[in-house]
Amino acid sequence: MTEYTLRGTVVTPSELISHGQVEIANGRIMYAGPRRQPLGEAFDHGDRLICPGLIDVHVHGGAGHDAMDRDPDAVEAISGYLAAGGVTGFLATTQTAPSGELLEAVRRLAAAAEAGLGGARLLGLHLEGPYLSEEKRGAQHGDHIRAADTGELEALHDAADGWMKVMTLAPEAPGALDAVAWLAERGVVASAGHTDADYMTALEAFGRGLSHVSHLYNGMRGLHHREPGILGAALTDGRVSVELIADGLHVHPAALRLAALLKGPAKTVLVSDSIKPAGLPDGEHEYGSRRVTLRDGLAWLPGGVIAGSTIRLNDAVRVMVEEAGLSVAEAVQMASTTPARVLRLTPGKGRLSEGSDADVTVMDWRFNVEETIVGGETVYRGAE
Ligand SMILES: [Zn+2]
């Protein structure tokens, strides 16, 4: 079907249009606005929310698969799993690993991005590590954390063949500030994460081109009123955008609200940080060389460390609205328009407007996903 119309409450997402419609032709949006004569067949979703497709820029895995798995079907399975959470585009996120393993994963993922997937579209790569802080490593493998090395960076960038969009590093790691400048010069977003950087180091990194902070609050020192650290710097400096793991557990809803109010919807990016066992039942699961226990919506490593989350992005939108008190338009913007813009993903993503890609997520008012559309094609349909 090349031409059709969706009817419902249109979240552009800067505004909500009740009794609105979105017209789609040949994988593009032709119109988003008040109801009028439909283009092609009309599909009526009642008052349900018709949103720009959600974009998750921090995804390690899900449904029992990891982005770094050698299994060539792993990333396809993750793509399908994400589509059921309303995600139409994502950045596959690597973890700290030995150089050879990392290079191999980057090559494999770049090839998958080139080839295309059946669910959520792989929009590129987010390299988390290996230039991180040992103290703030969280679930990252401490053994493979190392000093930043431009030679390795160059090899990774080459292997990614244009698909490297973000690298998370600790600005205080040896060589990291030069790496920030190197990345910024090549249009790759340098992001701070798993970092013990103090306030002054953070400002220095922003000055060198660091423009994003990965999972704000998690994997960094807390805010102290005499030494606000990178957290205080990120909250108050207009140059940087921030990610929030909005599961309501990694970060208290009041802290989510605090960050969202200070940064605003244009600089706040909701992420899942979902990991391999996300979507599997509670209990013990294999997680690389380790075991992880899923309990009460969290993934625990031995020793009481929280690994990434088990949510998908529709859940993050729900938490921001129902627990952090944001509007639907603000929360949807943080999960679509803002990630597309601040991480410089393909133009045409993240909004419902004429000429945009027809990536659309239809949800009810509790953010349960009814339908996920990528490039005009339905890739997921929820139970009616
Ligand atoms: Zn992390």
Side-chain angles (χ1 to χ4, degrees):
M1 183 180 4
T2 57
E3 288 183 355
Y4 61 97
T5 296
L6 302 169
R7 284 179 160 172
T9 305
V10 175
V11 186
T12 64
S14 53
E15 57 173 342
L16 260 65
I17 304 167
S18 48
H19 305 287
Q21 76 181 34
V22 173
E23 297 169 13
I24 293 169
N26 304 314
R28 298 221 172 242
I29 292 171
M30 309 306 289
Y31 169 84
R35 199 162 292 192
R36 61 180 196 182
Q37 207 51 275
L39 177 72
E41 191 177 348
F43 296 90
D44 196 343
H45 290 274
D47 71 343
R48 304 286 161 92
L49 302 166
I50 301 183
C51 303
L54 307 183
I55 297 173
D56 193 345
V57 299
H58 199 140
V59 177
H60 293 287
H65 299 276
D66 190 282
M68 291 184 74
D69 283 350
R70 281 207 175 81
D71 174 1
D73 299 330
V75 70
E76 183 68 56
I78 294 168
S79 159
Y81 166 75
L82 293 174
V87 174
T88 58
F90 70 109
L91 295 185
T93 306
T94 61
Q95 301 180 56
T96 296
S99 207
E101 195 183 320
L102 195 54
L103 270 170
E104 200 184 302
V106 165
R107 261 187 223 110
R108 199 165 42 233
L109 290 166
E114 203 66 58
L117 301 172
R121 191 162 285 168
L122 181 53
L123 298 175
L125 274 72
H126 178 162
L127 274 66
E128 190 172 24
Y131 318 134
L132 304 175
S133 152
E134 180 67 39
E135 294 78 55
K136 301 292 180 190
R137 68 180 188 276
Q140 296 278 333
H141 285 277
D143 297 353
H144 308 304
I145 286 174
R146 47 193 180 265
D149 166 4
T150 317
E152 184 184 32
L153 208 48
E154 196 147 11
L156 289 167
H157 188 256
D158 285 350
D161 201 17
W163 292 100
M164 184 171 169
K165 303 290 180 184
V166 189
M167 178 177 242
T168 294
L169 43 68
E172 78 281 14
L177 290 176
D178 288 337
V180 165
W182 193 95
L183 291 163
E185 272 166 31
R186 283 155 187 83
V188 177
V189 171
S191 180
H194 296 282
T195 167
D196 197 30
D198 60 19
Y199 183 77
M200 287 313 292
T201 308
L203 289 195
E204 210 180 330
F206 301 168
R208 298 289 295 274
L210 188 130
S211 62
H212 192 65
V213 175
S214 296
H215 46 57
L216 190 78
Y217 298 111
N218 300 112
M220 61 190 61
R221 61 166 77 182
L223 185 108
H224 189 279
H225 52 286
R226 275 189 292 278
E227 173 33 53
I230 191 156
L231 174 52
L235 284 171
T236 53
D237 196 305
R239 288 174 289 182
V240 295
S241 47
V242 302
E243 290 177 3
L244 294 172
I245 305 177
D247 63 355
L249 301 165
H250 276 74
V251 183
H252 190 282
L256 290 173
R257 181 168 174 78
L258 173 74
L261 290 179
L262 282 169
K263 300 305 295 181
K267 290 281 185 186
T268 306
V269 174
L270 306 185
V271 298
S272 68
D273 197 7
S274 80
I275 58 167
K276 183 173 186 167
L280 300 180
D282 269 9
E284 276 218 354
H285 298 281
E286 177 253 334
Y287 182 46
S289 56
R290 297 175 283 185
R291 310 279 304 166
V292 73
T293 306
L294 293 193
R295 184 168 18 92
D296 306 324
L298 280 171
W300 299 90
L301 288 171
V305 174
I306 308 179
S309 92
T310 60
I311 57 164
R312 281 175 290 200
L313 222 48
N314 64 316
D315 302 310
V317 173
R318 180 188 304 118
V319 167
M320 291 307 276
V321 172
E322 296 184 358
E323 296 182 42
L326 296 192
S327 73
V328 171
E330 287 169 326
V332 170
Q333 193 179 330
M334 292 175 183
S336 57
T337 323
T338 306
R341 196 192 68 254
V342 301
L343 299 183
R344 304 182 200 129
L345 305 178
T346 330
K349 298 285 178 208
R351 61 170 60 92
L352 296 182
S353 58
E354 194 187 328
S356 298
D357 293 348
D359 295 350
V360 184
T361 302
V362 182
M363 296 186 281
D364 66 20
W365 284 78
R366 297 229 49 224
F367 311 98
N368 299 302
V369 177
E370 197 159 277
E371 190 172 357
T372 308
I373 298 168
V374 175
E377 304 287 336
T378 299
V379 297
Y380 172 80
R381 207 183 292 277
E384 294 291 308

